[in-house]
Amino acid sequence: MYSEKVMDHFMNPRNVGEIEDADGVGQVGNAKCGDIMKMYLKIEDGIIVDAKFKTFGCGAAVATSSMATELIKGKTIKEAEMVTNKVVMEALDGLPPAKVHCSVLAEEAIAAALQDYRARHGLDSDSEYAGCPGCCGGCGRLEQQNRNGGE
Amino acid sequence: MQKPVIYLDHAATTYVKPEVFEAMKPYFIEEYGNASSLYSVGRSGRKAVEEARTAIARCLGADEPGEIYFTGSGTEADNWAIKGAVYAAREKGKKHIITSAIEHPAIMATCKYLKKEGFDVTYLPVDQEGFVNPGDVEKAIRPDTAIVSIMYANNEIGAIQPIKAIGEITRKHGVLFHCDAVQAAGSIPVDVRELGVDLLSISAHKFYGPKGVGALYIRKGVRLENLIHGGHQERGKRAGTENVAGIVGMAKALDLAIANMDQYAGKIRKLRDRARDLILSRIPHVRLNGPVENRLPGNLNLSFQFIEGESLLLMLDMKGIKASSGSACSSGSLDPSHVLMAIGLSHEIAHGSLRLTFGESNTESDVGYLVDCLEEIVARLRTMSPLYEDFVKANKQAAK
């Protein structure tokens, strides 16, 4: 049911771990839904020099976390913000429909970590993800993804 | 080294035993006649079906072969029992169904459907080990109760329900009693007289028989409305050309299961207990789900704290171990297993559940390999888990 890329990123996840002196940390999801992602970012001169994650969740949750960290490493903050769930899914050669929410969680984890970075550094930010505890679907983002076909 | 294949999902399905397959073989190419036809090739099919009916009646302790009706699955038998009973009772103004919170989806979804049709359903709770309290059944019975349906043994946590005690209550109140014995048949003795049930479902592929064939025991005198309409098969109660090979296979498989039951149950209980004890002693933060006693001999259900079940299944599969989980991700919804929730587990613990069901092909060395793999995989998934990280940090904090 999973693509080879998903299985590869699940069995050999990249960037698992913590960054002790991270500049931004974001955690999304909750145990009730069965998925929690925690992302650590090291940012120097506006560039993400390192990203690590820890994830409690299914195969897709681990694989999207792994792929998301790979996609944002070496990128500027602006570029990292362009890494949407769709980008993560495409990089993994797709996800089964029931697992699309995992890629949304990966996008939200990046956003939450960047939000934390901005907050720590007193930078301006849009408040979209401030205080987002994970994908409750309340913001309509999940519905929008599903409407877009969720491919 | 070629990786071994260790099948630990016997509650999902079993392979067909070679002896069973041999017994079925003649009914595909040589004895292919329609069991309802009058010429000889049909008559031999009829004879085989009736011999199978007699064998199954004997295996289940029925008074006569005519109380056994063949169906296309355990699910069909469950649907027929409940819908057939309540549709027949509707004209008498009875519209209440009593069942438990831990039934198989074949019962749960049927009750949900009937509720939409205007029937009333009471779902009895279970205790922390997964047992229905017979006293709760008695309290739930109303003048308009049409049927009580309680499973013999639970498919996820293996809890063997007090069917005999419930049967005494339903009989006292004159209420029909159906028992879904799909998981029990072939693993533990099932005797309809002893249990005091009016209706009982079984499915062949759970006891080394073929898929696509089940049976419903209907006590003589119990009236059910028909579910499948068509020809006059099964004495006009269940239409559809008889699955002769399947029926023969089911009878052979049940006969074998009953003949070898003590030995089989003893073997798989020993393997299960060994796996349970090794896992609980070698891996920290593991919980046994379901009872210690009164449990199906091959069933083991554990929750591994801080990790999620689907990840565990995928990694076990990579090691050649086939298992099952009650996590949401494996159920295809956001909610974990209704059975694990009913015994009071938190979402988090239910998401981390693993079901291992032992059977004929398993050996002592499978258990050793399983425990080695689990130890490695659980440790690996925990290093990736933010929940475990929080737990370790909280412990360090507390130690200071």
Side-chain angles (χ1 to χ4, degrees):
Chain A
M1 86 188 212
Y2 286 136
S3 71
E4 271 177 42
K5 268 200 184 152
V6 171
M7 281 312 290
D8 176 37
H9 275 264
F10 170 67
M11 290 307 291
N12 311 293
R14 281 60 146 181
N15 312 308
V16 175
E18 299 168 57
I19 300 175
E20 288 284 338
D21 57 342
D23 298 297
V25 180
Q27 182 170 318
V28 296
N30 61 63
K32 201 178 168 191
C33 302
D35 293 300
I36 298 174
M37 271 181 211
K38 191 169 187 179
M39 199 168 284
Y40 299 83
L41 302 179
K42 186 86 197 135
I43 299 175
E44 283 168 15
D45 303 324
I47 290 172
I48 298 168
V49 294
D50 198 9
K52 288 204 184 298
F53 79 91
K54 285 208 172 176
T55 290
F56 163 85
C58 62
V62 173
T64 53
S65 313
S66 166
M67 182 54 90
T69 53
E70 282 287 273
L71 288 170
I72 61 172
K73 264 167 74 171
K75 300 274 168 66
T76 64
I77 291 172
K78 272 271 168 281
E79 286 167 337
E81 282 173 337
M82 311 279 272
V83 177
T84 61
N85 83 301
K86 216 173 160 185
V87 173
V88 175
M89 270 204 293
E90 275 165 10
L92 287 168
D93 292 340
L95 286 173
K99 303 290 182 176
V100 172
H101 74 277
C102 294
S103 65
V104 176
L105 218 52
E107 176 186 333
E108 289 175 350
I110 298 171
L114 288 174
Q115 173 64 24
D116 180 53
Y117 166 75
R118 291 198 188 93
R120 289 190 199 190
H121 294 77
L123 300 171
D124 284 344
S125 65
D126 57 81
S127 58
E128 189 183 355
Y129 293 104
C132 173
C135 199
C136 62
C139 63
R141 181 167 284 265
L142 197 57
E143 283 91 312
Q144 202 183 339
Q145 298 298 346
N146 289 339
R147 260 204 308 282
N148 292 346
E151 67 283 310
Chain B
M1 191 190 97
Q2 210 190 344
K3 99 186 155 186
V5 171
I6 297 176
Y7 186 72
L8 287 170
D9 206 11
H10 291 82
T13 195
T14 54
Y15 58 88
V16 173
K17 275 190 185 169
E19 307 95 295
V20 172
F21 185 47
E22 282 305 320
M24 294 171 70
K25 264 184 181 169
Y27 300 97
F28 289 103
I29 294 175
E30 297 128 44
E31 306 291 343
Y32 58 86
N34 190 316
S36 300
S37 301
L38 290 174
Y39 38 77
S40 59
V41 75
R43 283 203 305 272
S44 63
R46 163 63 47 212
K47 188 163 167 274
V49 167
E50 295 316 321
E51 279 172 8
R53 199 186 308 281
T54 303
I56 289 170
R58 189 182 61 240
C59 288
L60 298 180
D63 285 333
E64 48 188 86
E67 293 176 315
I68 304 299
Y69 292 84
F70 296 114
T71 65
S73 62
T75 294
E76 187 197 323
D78 283 347
N79 267 264
W80 187 15
I82 309 263
K83 288 177 186 161
V86 301
Y87 290 157
R90 185 163 45 186
E91 55 209 55
K92 288 181 234 152
K94 293 189 174 183
K95 57 173 186 56
H96 180 225
I97 302 164
I98 298 171
T99 188
S100 84
I102 60 163
E103 297 297 312
H104 186 272
I107 298 291
M108 286 305 208
T110 300
C111 288
K112 197 173 157 195
Y113 169 80
L114 288 168
K115 200 172 163 87
K116 268 199 287 187
E117 282 212 326
F119 291 93
D120 203 4
V121 185
T122 298
Y123 297 95
L124 299 176
V126 292
D127 64 20
Q128 289 187 335
E129 290 192 301
F131 295 117
V132 171
N133 177 354
D136 288 348
V137 176
E138 184 148 37
K139 273 184 243 158
I141 291 176
R142 314 192 308 214
D144 68 339
T145 301
I147 189 167
V148 173
S149 179
I150 306 289
M151 70 198 331
Y152 197 170
N154 182 265
N155 48 312
E156 293 187 40
I157 54 172
I160 298 170
Q161 301 300 329
I163 297 302
K164 197 180 165 187
I166 296 168
E168 281 164 15
I169 290 163
T170 55
R171 194 161 291 181
K172 188 172 104 189
H173 291 269
V175 175
L176 272 188
F177 183 25
H178 167 251
C179 178
D180 171 354
V182 167
Q183 288 291 333
S187 285
I188 56 173
V190 176
D191 185 305
V192 292
R193 240 173 321 194
E194 163 95 12
L195 295 172
V197 299
D198 301 299
L199 301 156
L200 182 134
S201 314
I202 62 168
S203 176
H205 76 105
K206 305 292 190 187
F207 46 80
Y208 306 91
K211 292 165 185 62
V213 58
L216 180 64
Y217 158 80
I218 306 178
R219 183 184 295 282
K220 199 176 177 183
V222 170
R223 204 172 76 75
L224 295 187
E225 218 165 271
N226 291 354
L227 195 66
I228 309 286
H229 301 94
H232 58 270
Q233 292 88 356
E234 296 299 282
R235 283 142 290 145
K237 291 199 173 179
R238 197 278 188 182
T241 299
E242 294 88 343
N243 173 6
V244 179
I247 288 166
V248 167
M250 175 159 66
K252 179 75 179 170
L254 194 56
D255 252 341
L256 284 173
I258 286 171
N260 303 319
M261 190 174 281
D262 288 346
Q263 195 198 352
Y264 175 69
K267 175 193 154 165
I268 60 174
R269 179 178 289 116
K270 202 172 143 207
L271 293 175
R272 188 271 316 269
D273 288 352
R274 179 155 175 78
R276 179 194 62 204
D277 295 346
L278 281 175
I279 292 166
L280 290 173
S281 69
R282 277 170 55 182
I283 306 177
H285 316 299
V286 184
R287 180 192 194 282
L288 174 71
N289 299 323
V292 175
E293 300 295 327
N294 292 318
R295 182 177 190 130
L296 284 178
N299 173 288
L300 183 56
N301 192 311
L302 301 160
S303 277
F304 295 84
Q305 229 182 316
F306 317 116
I307 63 178
E308 193 275 335
E310 193 209 78
S311 291
L312 194 54
L313 290 190
L314 288 172
M315 287 201 174
L316 283 171
D317 185 29
M318 287 297 181
K319 301 273 190 189
I321 299 170
K322 317 297 170 191
S324 154
S325 167
S327 84
C329 279
S330 44
S331 73
S333 75
L334 277 180
D335 289 318
S337 137
H338 67 287
V339 176
L340 298 179
M341 299 309 285
I343 59 170
L345 299 197
S346 69
H347 278 78
E348 186 191 320
I349 301 295
H351 282 305
S353 76
L354 177 71
R355 182 187 72 176
L356 302 163
T357 44
F358 295 82
E360 193 80 40
S361 68
N362 298 130
T363 63
E364 192 104 2
S365 73
D366 289 356
V367 172
Y369 179 74
L370 163 76
V371 180
D372 287 346
C373 291
L374 263 178
E375 196 172 29
E376 178 196 324
I377 290 168
V378 169
R380 189 164 166 215
L381 285 170
R382 280 182 180 158
T383 63
M384 286 167 59
S385 167
L387 294 173
Y388 189 61
E389 177 189 316
D390 293 347
F391 171 78
V392 171
K393 279 182 183 161
N395 264 8
K396 270 189 195 156
Q397 209 73 39
K400 270 180 194 168

